[in-house]
C-alpha cells in the first residue's frame, strides 16, 4: 500500500502608502510639489505581489506473483492500494495608495498561479503462476487520488490601475490494473477487480478595486480581474486505464467468477472574478473574466479472453464481467464588474464567464 499527502500553502503581500516625511514609499513613491501643473503633480508608483507554486507527484504501486506455484489453505489476496493527496493554497494581495495632497497615481497588481500534477500507476497481477487455494482468491488494484487547489488574489489601489489574476492547473493521470495472465487458478470464489477513484476541486478567485476619489489628476482608471481554471483527468494511455483482465488462463472455481472494473471521477471547479472601479474625474473601466476548462479522457475495461492449454473456464457459480465509468464534471463560474465616474458618460464595465 502507498499512502501520502502533499500540503503546500504560500502567501505573498505588498502594501505601499504615502509617507509625508519620506519621498520614497517602498514599492511606489510620491513627491512634494507646489506646482499647479497636472503633469508635475501626476507622480506615482507601482506595487506588485505574486505567488507561483508547482507540485509534481509520481507514484507506482505493484503487488505481483510471477512464475510461481502456490498452494494454500484458506483465502489468498494479491492487493495493490494507492491513496495520494495534494492540498495547495496560493494567495497574493497588494495595496497601493497616494497622498490626496500630492496627487499622483498608483498601480496595484497581484497574481497567484498553482500547478499540480499527479501521476499514478497501481497494479496487482498474477503472471505465469499456478495457484491452488481452498478458499477465495482476490486480485485487487485500487487507486485513490485527490487534488484540492485554491488560488486567490486581491489588488486595491487609490490610483490609476488595479489588476488581480488567479490561475490553477490540475492534472491527474491514474492507471489501475488488476490482471491474471497465463496462469492456472483453482479455488472457491475468484475476484479480479480494479477501482479508480479521483477527485479534483479547484477554486480560483480574483478581486480588484480602484478607489480614485482622492485623486482628481488621473485622466483614466482601470480595474481588471481574471480567474482561470484548467483540470485534466486521463488514463487512456495505450496500455493503461482502469482494467480488470483475465487472459490466456484457466479458472476452476467452485463459487463465482467476478471480473470488475470501476472508474469514478469527480471534477468540481469554482471561479470568481469581481471588479469595482470608483473613478475620479476621468474615464473609468472595469473588466472581469472567468475561464474554466475541463478535460476528461478515461478508459474502463473488464475483459476475459484467451485460454491456457486449450482449457476453458470451469465456474460452478455465477460469472460476472462488469465495467462502469461513473464520472462527473461540475462548473461554477461568476464574473461581475462595475465602473463609476463623476463624468457619467465615461464609465464602462464588462464581465465574461464560461
Amino acid at each position: 500500500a502507498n499512502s501520502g499527502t502533499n500540503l503546500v500553502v504560500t502567501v505573498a503581500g505588498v502594501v505601499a502608502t504615502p509617507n509625508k516625511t519620506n519621498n520614497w514609499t517602498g514599492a511606489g513613491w510620491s513627491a512634494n510639489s507646489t506646482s499647479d501643473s497636472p503633469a508635475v503633480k501626476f507622480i506615482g508608483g507601482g506595487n506588485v505581489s505574486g505567488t507561483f507554486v508547482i507540485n509534481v507527484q509520481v507514484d507506482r504501486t505493484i503487488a505481483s506473483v510471477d512464475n510461481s506455484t502456490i498452494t494454500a489453505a484458506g483465502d489468498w489476496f494479491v492487493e495493490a492500494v494507492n491513496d495520494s493527496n495534494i492540498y495547495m493554497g496560493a494567495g497574493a494581495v497588494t495595496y497601493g495608495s497616494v497622498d490626496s495632497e500630492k496627487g499622483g497615481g498608483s498601480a496595484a497588481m497581484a497574481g497567484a498561479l498553482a500547478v499540480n500534477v499527479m501521476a499514478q500507476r497501481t497494479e496487482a497481477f498474477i503472471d505465469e503462476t499456478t495457484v491452488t487455494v481452498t478458499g477465495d482468491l482476490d486480485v485487487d488494484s485500487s487507486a485513490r487520488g485527490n487534488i484540492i487547489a485554491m488560488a486567490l488574489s486581491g489588488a486595491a489601489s487609490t490610483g490609476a490601475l488595479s489588476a488581480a489574476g488567479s490561475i490553477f492547473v490540475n492534472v491527474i493521470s491514474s492507471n489501475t490494473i488488476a490482471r491474471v495472465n497465463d496462469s492456472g487458478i483453482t479455488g472457491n470464489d475468484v475476484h479480479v477487480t480494479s477501482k479508480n477513484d479521483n477527485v479534483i476541486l479547484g477554486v480560483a478567485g480574483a478581486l480588484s478595486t480602484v478607489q480614485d476619489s482622492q485623486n482628481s489628476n488621473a485622466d483614466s482608471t482601470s480595474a481588471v480581474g481574471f480567474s482561470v481554471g484548467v483540470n485534466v483527468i486521463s488514463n487512456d494511455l495505450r496500455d493503461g486505464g482502469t482494467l480488470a483482465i483475465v487472459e490466456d488462463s484457466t479458472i476452476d472455481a467452485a463459487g463465482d467468477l467476478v471480473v470488475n472494473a470501476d472508474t469514478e471521477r469527480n471534477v468540481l471547479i469554482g471561479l470568481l472574478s469581481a471588479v469595482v472601479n470608483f473613478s475620479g474625474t476621468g474615464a473609468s473601466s472595469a473588466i472581469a473574466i472567468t475561464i474554466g476548462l475541463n478535460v476528461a479522457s478515461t478508459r474502463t475495461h473488464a475483459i476475459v479472453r484467451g485460454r491456457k492449454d486449450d482449457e476453458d473456464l470451469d465456474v460452478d457459480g455465477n460469472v460476472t464481467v462488469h465495467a462502469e465509468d461513473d464520472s462527473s464534471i461540475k462548473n461554477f463560474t461568476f464574473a461581475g464588474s462595475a465602473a463609476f465616474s463623476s463624468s457619467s458618460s465615461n464609465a464602462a464595465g464588462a464581465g465574461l464567464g464560461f
Side-chain angles (χ1 to χ4, degrees):
N2 180 34
S3 178
T5 298
N6 192 346
L7 173 62
V8 178
V9 178
T10 178
V11 178
V14 173
V15 176
T17 59
N19 186 338
K20 294 179 180 294
T21 61
N22 188 339
N23 288 341
W24 296 92
T25 62
W29 69 88
S30 61
N32 292 314
S33 176
T34 59
S35 172
D36 294 329
S37 170
V40 175
K41 298 177 72 174
F42 190 70
I43 300 175
N47 315 296
V48 179
S49 68
T51 57
F52 178 32
V53 184
I54 296 178
N55 275 324
V56 177
Q57 184 170 312
V58 179
D59 298 317
R60 185 163 189 180
T61 306
I62 298 175
S64 65
V65 180
D66 188 11
N67 196 22
S68 302
T69 299
I70 306 294
T71 301
D75 300 331
W76 205 58
F77 303 93
V78 181
E79 295 183 334
V81 180
N82 191 342
D83 187 356
S84 301
N85 302 284
I86 294 178
Y87 303 114
M88 174 186 283
V93 293
T94 301
Y95 174 75
S97 68
V98 295
D99 196 309
S100 59
E101 297 177 1
K102 300 172 184 177
S106 67
M109 290 171 283
L113 173 61
V115 178
N116 298 296
V117 178
M118 179 184 292
Q120 297 175 319
R121 188 173 182 89
T122 308
E123 297 182 76
F125 63 86
I126 297 175
D127 191 29
E128 297 183 350
T129 294
T130 300
V131 179
T132 303
V133 295
T134 60
D136 299 336
L137 171 66
D138 286 350
V139 180
D140 179 66
S141 180
S142 177
R144 181 175 180 268
N146 299 322
I147 294 179
I148 298 177
M150 182 176 295
L152 303 175
S153 62
S157 173
T158 62
L161 172 65
S162 176
S166 298
I167 302 173
F168 68 76
V169 178
N170 298 314
V171 179
I172 292 181
S173 176
S174 183
N175 298 281
T176 308
I177 302 168
R179 184 178 73 247
V180 175
N181 178 66
D182 195 20
S183 297
I185 307 297
T186 301
N188 188 35
D189 290 340
V190 177
H191 294 168
V192 180
T193 59
S194 178
K195 182 173 178 57
N196 201 328
D197 186 358
N198 299 125
V199 175
I200 292 180
L201 172 59
V203 178
L207 174 62
S208 178
T209 179
V210 170
Q211 175 64 53
D212 193 47
S213 60
Q214 299 182 43
N215 179 14
S216 62
N217 291 314
D219 292 332
S220 63
T221 58
S222 299
V224 179
F226 66 89
S227 298
V228 178
V230 178
N231 293 313
V232 178
I233 288 184
S234 175
N235 71 352
D236 63 348
L237 300 176
R238 188 177 66 88
D239 62 344
T242 304
L243 308 177
I245 302 174
V246 175
E247 60 183 346
D248 301 330
S249 299
T250 61
I251 304 292
D252 184 0
D256 299 333
L257 170 63
V258 177
V259 180
N260 185 75
D262 185 12
T263 298
E264 182 175 355
R265 292 179 166 183
N266 297 296
V267 179
L268 296 91
I269 182 171
L271 302 173
L272 169 66
S273 293
V275 175
V276 181
N277 188 347
F278 296 97
S279 179
T281 59
S284 63
S285 62
I287 300 174
I289 299 174
T290 60
I291 300 175
L293 174 62
N294 295 301
V295 178
S297 178
T298 62
R299 183 169 69 163
T300 305
H301 290 175
I303 300 171
V304 177
R305 63 189 176 198
R307 53 183 166 173
K308 181 179 176 64
D309 300 329
D310 293 327
E311 296 289 337
D312 294 323
L313 300 180
D314 184 3
V315 180
D316 295 341
N318 297 320
V319 176
T320 301
V321 181
H322 178 258
E324 181 175 352
D325 189 334
D326 185 13
S327 300
S328 66
I329 296 176
K330 297 180 181 179
N331 287 338
F332 304 93
T333 63
F334 172 80
S337 65
F340 305 93
S341 175
S342 57
S343 302
S344 59
S345 62
N346 294 328
L352 173 63
F354 65 90

